[in-house]
Amino acid sequence: MKIQTQRGQQTIQDGVRRMLPCVLLLLGGLFPAMMQAQFTAPTDEELKMTADPKAPGADAVYLYVEETGDEVSRNRVVYERIKVLKEKGKELATVRVPYEVGATVVSEIQARTIHADGTVVPMADKASELMDFKNKEYQLNSLVFTLPSVEVGSILEFRYKLKPTDSFLSWLAPPTWEIQQKYFVHKAHYFYRAYNEGVAYTTRLAPGMQVIHQKGSDCTLDITDVPPMPDEDWMPPENMIRWRVEFYYSRARSTTEYWENAARVWTESVKDFTHPSGQLKKAVADMTAPTDSEEQKARKIYDAVMKLDNTEFSRSKSKAERKAHKIKTIEKAEDIWKNQSGNSAAMALLYVALARTAGLDVSPMQVVNRDRAIFSNRYLNSDQLDDYIAVVTINGKDTYLDPGERMCPFGALHWKHTLATGFRLQGKTSVIATTPAGTFANAVYQRAAYLDVDPDGGVKGTVRYVMTGPDALYWRQVALENDPDEVKKQFNEMMHASMPDGVQAEFDHFLGLEGYNSSLIATAHVSGTLGTLTGKRFLLPGLFFESSGKHPFVAQDKRATPIDVHYAKADQDEVSYHLPAGFALESAPQADHIVWPDHAEMKIASRTKGDTVVVARSMAYNFVMLDSKEYDSLHGFYQKIATADEQPLVLIRSQAAKGN
């Protein structure tokens, strides 16, 4: 039995849904064509608008948005009218429309710019076509067009149509209405006519907003004064916060019935794929010994899978090729072992098959990647599931593994697979389960600077980074996917963000890049001007890595959305200042211990040894997601942190010290 490794498994209901166009296309002529938005003459008020009291300070506003779709007449029309209020708002003049080549076409593109004096400038240029990625079976392109002669004060107006190709089997998938836009929306109209009454939808809307479902298959939503999509640091996945309506087809009579059926289909797929075979038995016999413990077997099999060619991390392939591999159909685990190559899903399921062959209690799990979305059982579509992981029970305890993530340590998950929900096979059936969160003890990020300071404020030395957990995994995967020059460039950019003003850092080399079960070490050289001379005194930043002042959750007083910091973490920083001749220490950062009970703590300590002053700072937080109601406490905690991090290291000329 084949298994698709693209965002979940295709269920029986999906198969039925895909057959509907063949049956109902013949009925298209029985329905009247729906009304479509035409270009609208602007009002004097719209032309003269220089600011919007409903959206103070906005760079632009949407005057009107309309999306209408009709599966009977097989088209979807998008229409937008936008007022540009500031220079940045001109970015909306470039429109990008993605579509699947061979299945969908974009047609009837019309666009124009209306200046504040009423002058109309129609778009004359044709849309350009960009290929996003392609393989033998699939190609995704985008049509890009730019409205002409855009000025601050202009009104942008455009419409285009999406429709399936002329193929009898082509159709448009049910839409998702993205209600919130980047900017404030004054008025919007949405309409969708499905093939039949089997259409269903899930919503995330503000109180009072309601989809009107009438005539069996017609759905309408009319709304006014839609606030912009929230734009805050460390937001959770978009599907948790953006107002939207997601349509899908389902014959299930209840949520429970749908997920039970979907889990049953998924179970049969993974069982078929991971069934032990003679070839796998030989492989397991070659890599393990009969006397090995459960953990030894689990580790040896894991190491063997990690050595294979995971095509999603092959630098020899382009980014488009690696992305295309995610939708490739695979056959059996033994085929992956025979080829010694496969994508991430194949590697995870191959691990399950090998571990089962070795007699281990192991189960596959497919989850929604938390960097993209949060699982919703109300959205009856198993395509929301993304990646596979494995759960092996060792000595009665579950150990979560990520064989599909190259360079992920044994016993750890990529952070996007933590607190992630999906199907887990348990025994002969599958259940919906959630993976555990990581702890800060497994995500340690150490930075140590060793600096020589000269009497004029210059500084020179080295910085050493020691990483375990998500940060180490990140850089190891960057190294897999990029050449050394690109890796160096990206690491330098990362260091630059944490260096004090006037100090430059240059990456030198990694240690332990290939050893995914060990810490990753990086070294860099630093130089520049750091100190400030004020008469007899010499001021240095006490907390070297924090002196740039880029603390999260400080500038913003209030919070509208939940906070998602991705994973719990421990930061450990230390700077050793070798003092210049003629100077002595007058004061160092005071010892401090700031605690946010049950959430986080920070410690500062300093010590002196001869002519060297060492300042150490440790910060650990053991939370991942917080409700916006907890933001006041988070904000207050980081305000204290920011104040403590401003403490300077003060030197004084030795002669002055003696005179005092």
mmCIF file of all heavy atoms in Angstrom, residues 175-196:
data_model
loop_
_atom_site.group_PDB
_atom_site.id
_atom_site.type_symbol
_atom_site.label_atom_id
_atom_site.label_comp_id
_atom_site.label_asym_id
_atom_site.label_seq_id
_atom_site.Cartn_x
_atom_site.Cartn_y
_atom_site.Cartn_z
ATOM 1 N N PRO A 175 -12.252 26.741 -0.550
ATOM 2 C CA PRO A 175 -11.391 27.872 -0.185
ATOM 3 C C PRO A 175 -11.202 28.023 1.317
ATOM 4 O O PRO A 175 -11.898 27.406 2.125
ATOM 5 C CB PRO A 175 -12.165 29.078 -0.730
ATOM 6 C CG PRO A 175 -13.609 28.656 -0.579
ATOM 7 C CD PRO A 175 -13.621 27.176 -0.874
ATOM 8 N N THR A 176 -10.237 28.849 1.670
ATOM 9 C CA THR A 176 -10.082 29.365 3.025
ATOM 10 C C THR A 176 -10.191 30.881 2.934
ATOM 11 O O THR A 176 -9.430 31.520 2.207
ATOM 12 C CB THR A 176 -8.726 28.975 3.633
ATOM 13 O OG1 THR A 176 -8.668 27.562 3.805
ATOM 14 C CG2 THR A 176 -8.524 29.650 4.984
ATOM 15 N N TRP A 177 -11.146 31.441 3.628
ATOM 16 C CA TRP A 177 -11.287 32.898 3.646
ATOM 17 C C TRP A 177 -10.393 33.464 4.747
ATOM 18 O O TRP A 177 -10.621 33.217 5.940
ATOM 19 C CB TRP A 177 -12.732 33.298 3.924
ATOM 20 C CG TRP A 177 -13.710 32.910 2.853
ATOM 21 C CD1 TRP A 177 -13.434 32.578 1.565
ATOM 22 C CD2 TRP A 177 -15.136 32.812 2.998
ATOM 23 N NE1 TRP A 177 -14.585 32.276 0.884
ATOM 24 C CE2 TRP A 177 -15.648 32.416 1.729
ATOM 25 C CE3 TRP A 177 -16.016 33.008 4.041
ATOM 26 C CZ2 TRP A 177 -17.016 32.226 1.518
ATOM 27 C CZ3 TRP A 177 -17.372 32.816 3.839
ATOM 28 C CH2 TRP A 177 -17.866 32.441 2.584
ATOM 29 N N GLU A 178 -9.364 34.191 4.356
ATOM 30 C CA GLU A 178 -8.497 34.862 5.322
ATOM 31 C C GLU A 178 -9.105 36.236 5.595
ATOM 32 O O GLU A 178 -8.922 37.183 4.816
ATOM 33 C CB GLU A 178 -7.072 34.991 4.775
ATOM 34 C CG GLU A 178 -6.425 33.660 4.401
ATOM 35 C CD GLU A 178 -6.083 32.812 5.621
ATOM 36 O OE1 GLU A 178 -6.391 33.228 6.750
ATOM 37 O OE2 GLU A 178 -5.514 31.723 5.438
ATOM 38 N N ILE A 179 -9.839 36.348 6.681
ATOM 39 C CA ILE A 179 -10.639 37.543 6.934
ATOM 40 C C ILE A 179 -9.760 38.745 7.292
ATOM 41 O O ILE A 179 -9.977 39.851 6.806
ATOM 42 C CB ILE A 179 -11.661 37.283 8.059
ATOM 43 C CG1 ILE A 179 -12.497 36.035 7.733
ATOM 44 C CG2 ILE A 179 -12.537 38.501 8.275
ATOM 45 C CD1 ILE A 179 -13.230 36.101 6.419
ATOM 46 N N GLN A 180 -8.785 38.549 8.136
ATOM 47 C CA GLN A 180 -7.916 39.658 8.531
ATOM 48 C C GLN A 180 -6.782 39.818 7.529
ATOM 49 O O GLN A 180 -6.169 38.841 7.087
ATOM 50 C CB GLN A 180 -7.344 39.422 9.930
ATOM 51 C CG GLN A 180 -8.347 39.655 11.043
ATOM 52 C CD GLN A 180 -7.721 39.442 12.407
ATOM 53 O OE1 GLN A 180 -7.332 38.325 12.728
ATOM 54 N NE2 GLN A 180 -7.641 40.489 13.200
ATOM 55 N N GLN A 181 -6.492 41.045 7.179
ATOM 56 C CA GLN A 181 -5.402 41.379 6.267
ATOM 57 C C GLN A 181 -4.304 42.106 7.050
ATOM 58 O O GLN A 181 -4.413 42.319 8.266
ATOM 59 C CB GLN A 181 -5.917 42.262 5.127
ATOM 60 C CG GLN A 181 -7.119 41.702 4.400
ATOM 61 C CD GLN A 181 -6.819 40.416 3.658
ATOM 62 O OE1 GLN A 181 -5.686 40.180 3.244
ATOM 63 N NE2 GLN A 181 -7.831 39.571 3.481
ATOM 64 N N LYS A 182 -3.268 42.495 6.347
ATOM 65 C CA LYS A 182 -2.179 43.213 7.010
ATOM 66 C C LYS A 182 -2.640 44.563 7.532
ATOM 67 O O LYS A 182 -2.135 45.069 8.537
ATOM 68 C CB LYS A 182 -1.013 43.388 6.041
ATOM 69 C CG LYS A 182 0.212 44.030 6.662
ATOM 70 C CD LYS A 182 1.374 44.068 5.682
ATOM 71 C CE LYS A 182 2.607 44.690 6.330
ATOM 72 N NZ LYS A 182 3.774 44.708 5.418
ATOM 73 N N TYR A 183 -3.616 45.156 6.825
ATOM 74 C CA TYR A 183 -4.126 46.471 7.206
ATOM 75 C C TYR A 183 -5.638 46.416 7.448
ATOM 76 O O TYR A 183 -6.302 45.431 7.092
ATOM 77 C CB TYR A 183 -3.805 47.500 6.114
ATOM 78 C CG TYR A 183 -2.327 47.686 5.870
ATOM 79 C CD1 TYR A 183 -1.719 47.196 4.711
ATOM 80 C CD2 TYR A 183 -1.521 48.332 6.815
ATOM 81 C CE1 TYR A 183 -0.356 47.368 4.495
ATOM 82 C CE2 TYR A 183 -0.163 48.500 6.598
ATOM 83 C CZ TYR A 183 0.415 48.013 5.436
ATOM 84 O OH TYR A 183 1.771 48.169 5.231
ATOM 85 N N PHE A 184 -6.157 47.452 8.047
ATOM 86 C CA PHE A 184 -7.572 47.573 8.385
ATOM 87 C C PHE A 184 -8.438 47.411 7.135
ATOM 88 O O PHE A 184 -8.123 47.933 6.060
ATOM 89 C CB PHE A 184 -7.816 48.943 9.029
ATOM 90 C CG PHE A 184 -9.223 49.186 9.488
ATOM 91 C CD1 PHE A 184 -9.618 48.811 10.763
ATOM 92 C CD2 PHE A 184 -10.149 49.795 8.654
ATOM 93 C CE1 PHE A 184 -10.918 49.043 11.199
ATOM 94 C CE2 PHE A 184 -11.446 50.029 9.079
ATOM 95 C CZ PHE A 184 -11.833 49.652 10.357
ATOM 96 N N VAL A 185 -9.560 46.679 7.272
ATOM 97 C CA VAL A 185 -10.502 46.464 6.172
ATOM 98 C C VAL A 185 -11.826 47.147 6.518
ATOM 99 O O VAL A 185 -12.449 46.824 7.530
ATOM 100 C CB VAL A 185 -10.746 44.966 5.926
ATOM 101 C CG1 VAL A 185 -11.762 44.775 4.792
ATOM 102 C CG2 VAL A 185 -9.441 44.258 5.597
ATOM 103 N N HIS A 186 -12.262 48.071 5.655
ATOM 104 C CA HIS A 186 -13.521 48.770 5.915
ATOM 105 C C HIS A 186 -14.734 47.879 5.645
ATOM 106 O O HIS A 186 -15.679 47.864 6.429
ATOM 107 C CB HIS A 186 -13.604 50.034 5.053
ATOM 108 C CG HIS A 186 -12.884 51.195 5.646
ATOM 109 N ND1 HIS A 186 -13.492 52.150 6.422
ATOM 110 C CD2 HIS A 186 -11.577 51.543 5.600
ATOM 111 C CE1 HIS A 186 -12.604 53.046 6.828
ATOM 112 N NE2 HIS A 186 -11.428 52.701 6.329
ATOM 113 N N LYS A 187 -14.679 47.144 4.527
ATOM 114 C CA LYS A 187 -15.842 46.335 4.171
ATOM 115 C C LYS A 187 -15.368 45.135 3.358
ATOM 116 O O LYS A 187 -14.454 45.245 2.535
ATOM 117 C CB LYS A 187 -16.834 47.161 3.351
ATOM 118 C CG LYS A 187 -18.139 46.442 3.034
ATOM 119 C CD LYS A 187 -19.093 47.375 2.283
ATOM 120 C CE LYS A 187 -20.415 46.674 1.984
ATOM 121 N NZ LYS A 187 -21.341 47.566 1.235
ATOM 122 N N ALA A 188 -15.999 43.985 3.588
ATOM 123 C CA ALA A 188 -15.625 42.784 2.843
ATOM 124 C C ALA A 188 -16.852 41.916 2.613
ATOM 125 O O ALA A 188 -17.777 41.871 3.433
ATOM 126 C CB ALA A 188 -14.554 41.991 3.592
ATOM 127 N N HIS A 189 -16.832 41.228 1.483
ATOM 128 C CA HIS A 189 -17.921 40.314 1.120
ATOM 129 C C HIS A 189 -17.305 39.013 0.634
ATOM 130 O O HIS A 189 -16.410 38.995 -0.220
ATOM 131 C CB HIS A 189 -18.782 40.916 0.004
ATOM 132 C CG HIS A 189 -19.759 39.946 -0.598
ATOM 133 N ND1 HIS A 189 -20.873 39.504 0.067
ATOM 134 C CD2 HIS A 189 -19.771 39.313 -1.814
ATOM 135 C CE1 HIS A 189 -21.549 38.657 -0.704
ATOM 136 N NE2 HIS A 189 -20.886 38.523 -1.851
ATOM 137 N N TYR A 190 -17.796 37.878 1.192
ATOM 138 C CA TYR A 190 -17.320 36.558 0.799
ATOM 139 C C TYR A 190 -18.520 35.693 0.425
ATOM 140 O O TYR A 190 -19.554 35.725 1.098
ATOM 141 C CB TYR A 190 -16.555 35.885 1.939
ATOM 142 C CG TYR A 190 -15.297 36.628 2.346
ATOM 143 C CD1 TYR A 190 -15.336 37.610 3.328
ATOM 144 C CD2 TYR A 190 -14.077 36.343 1.738
ATOM 145 C CE1 TYR A 190 -14.196 38.290 3.696
ATOM 146 C CE2 TYR A 190 -12.923 37.020 2.101
ATOM 147 C CZ TYR A 190 -12.992 37.994 3.087
ATOM 148 O OH TYR A 190 -11.856 38.665 3.440
ATOM 149 N N PHE A 191 -18.354 34.933 -0.665
ATOM 150 C CA PHE A 191 -19.425 34.045 -1.107
ATOM 151 C C PHE A 191 -18.799 32.759 -1.642
ATOM 152 O O PHE A 191 -17.783 32.785 -2.351
ATOM 153 C CB PHE A 191 -20.264 34.688 -2.210
ATOM 154 C CG PHE A 191 -21.283 33.751 -2.820
ATOM 155 C CD1 PHE A 191 -22.505 33.547 -2.205
ATOM 156 C CD2 PHE A 191 -21.004 33.065 -4.002
ATOM 157 C CE1 PHE A 191 -23.435 32.672 -2.749
ATOM 158 C CE2 PHE A 191 -21.922 32.190 -4.550
ATOM 159 C CZ PHE A 191 -23.145 31.991 -3.927
ATOM 160 N N TYR A 192 -19.408 31.615 -1.298
ATOM 161 C CA TYR A 192 -18.925 30.327 -1.793
ATOM 162 C C TYR A 192 -20.113 29.430 -2.085
ATOM 163 O O TYR A 192 -20.965 29.215 -1.218
ATOM 164 C CB TYR A 192 -18.003 29.677 -0.753
ATOM 165 C CG TYR A 192 -17.551 28.283 -1.091
ATOM 166 C CD1 TYR A 192 -17.000 27.979 -2.336
ATOM 167 C CD2 TYR A 192 -17.668 27.256 -0.158
ATOM 168 C CE1 TYR A 192 -16.578 26.695 -2.636
ATOM 169 C CE2 TYR A 192 -17.243 25.970 -0.442
ATOM 170 C CZ TYR A 192 -16.702 25.690 -1.682
ATOM 171 O OH TYR A 192 -16.285 24.423 -1.980
ATOM 172 N N ARG A 193 -20.174 28.943 -3.335
ATOM 173 C CA ARG A 193 -21.200 27.979 -3.716
ATOM 174 C C ARG A 193 -20.521 26.646 -3.931
ATOM 175 O O ARG A 193 -19.694 26.483 -4.834
ATOM 176 C CB ARG A 193 -21.930 28.419 -4.978
ATOM 177 C CG ARG A 193 -22.913 27.382 -5.528
ATOM 178 C CD ARG A 193 -23.776 27.960 -6.614
ATOM 179 N NE ARG A 193 -24.693 28.955 -6.054
ATOM 180 C CZ ARG A 193 -25.430 29.790 -6.794
ATOM 181 N NH1 ARG A 193 -25.339 29.759 -8.109
ATOM 182 N NH2 ARG A 193 -26.227 30.648 -6.211
ATOM 183 N N ALA A 194 -20.848 25.680 -3.083
ATOM 184 C CA ALA A 194 -20.246 24.360 -3.164
ATOM 185 C C ALA A 194 -21.032 23.479 -4.134
ATOM 186 O O ALA A 194 -22.096 23.857 -4.625
ATOM 187 C CB ALA A 194 -20.209 23.718 -1.787
ATOM 188 N N TYR A 195 -20.488 22.291 -4.409
ATOM 189 C CA TYR A 195 -21.175 21.360 -5.299
ATOM 190 C C TYR A 195 -22.485 20.867 -4.706
ATOM 191 O O TYR A 195 -23.471 20.692 -5.401
ATOM 192 C CB TYR A 195 -20.268 20.157 -5.592
ATOM 193 C CG TYR A 195 -19.169 20.448 -6.557
ATOM 194 C CD1 TYR A 195 -17.848 20.467 -6.124
ATOM 195 C CD2 TYR A 195 -19.429 20.711 -7.897
ATOM 196 C CE1 TYR A 195 -16.822 20.729 -7.010
ATOM 197 C CE2 TYR A 195 -18.410 20.977 -8.784
ATOM 198 C CZ TYR A 195 -17.099 20.976 -8.342
ATOM 199 O OH TYR A 195 -16.087 21.244 -9.213
ATOM 200 N N ASN A 196 -22.452 20.605 -3.400
ATOM 201 C CA ASN A 196 -23.666 20.076 -2.784
ATOM 202 C C ASN A 196 -23.655 20.404 -1.303
ATOM 203 O O ASN A 196 -22.812 21.163 -0.820
ATOM 204 C CB ASN A 196 -23.789 18.566 -3.006
ATOM 205 C CG ASN A 196 -22.632 17.794 -2.382
ATOM 206 O OD1 ASN A 196 -21.936 18.301 -1.507
ATOM 207 N ND2 ASN A 196 -22.446 16.560 -2.818
#
